[in-house]
Amino acid sequence: MDVHHMDPADLKPAEYNPRHINQTQLEALKNSLSRWGFVEPVILNTKTGHIVGGHQRVTAALELAMPTVPVIKVELTEGQEKALNIALNKISGDWVADKLADLLADLGSDGWDIADLGFT
């Protein structure tokens, strides 16, 4: 897997992307990127030039004036691109509530602001 570094201003969002990030989540994402950097690359379809995965990270990177972001380039048909976009946005696990609560409590007692992790 080749990781390329690109100016986030050169990355074109997919107009059909069904995900939205609110301002609170965006601020948490910006705090995360500021603290840990970009640890999950953006996925870019070279055939269409669209972002397939990472729209919100690109938005945050632009607001933070990051000069480059890591990008994985894929070559997909438009249908494959849309399917991967949905898969990347939807396929995830569910929280185990008691473990999450314990973990957030531990982090809070260590001085972490859970708002920076996207929780209120």
Side-chain angles (χ1 to χ4, degrees), residues 37-78:
F38 234 93
V39 297
E40 186 175 357
V42 174
I43 309 300
L44 177 71
N45 186 1
T46 59
K47 280 190 171 183
T48 64
H50 292 154
I51 298 168
V52 182
H55 288 84
Q56 314 321 330
R57 292 187 304 278
V58 169
T59 298
L62 288 167
E63 288 197 13
L64 291 169
M66 292 180 145
T68 63
V69 297
V71 174
I72 302 293
K73 295 180 179 181
V74 296
E75 189 172 319
L76 304 170
T77 66
E78 189 174 343

Side-chain angles (χ1 to χ4, degrees), residues 15 58 106 110 115:
E15 293 295 323
V58 169
D106 286 347
D110 284 344

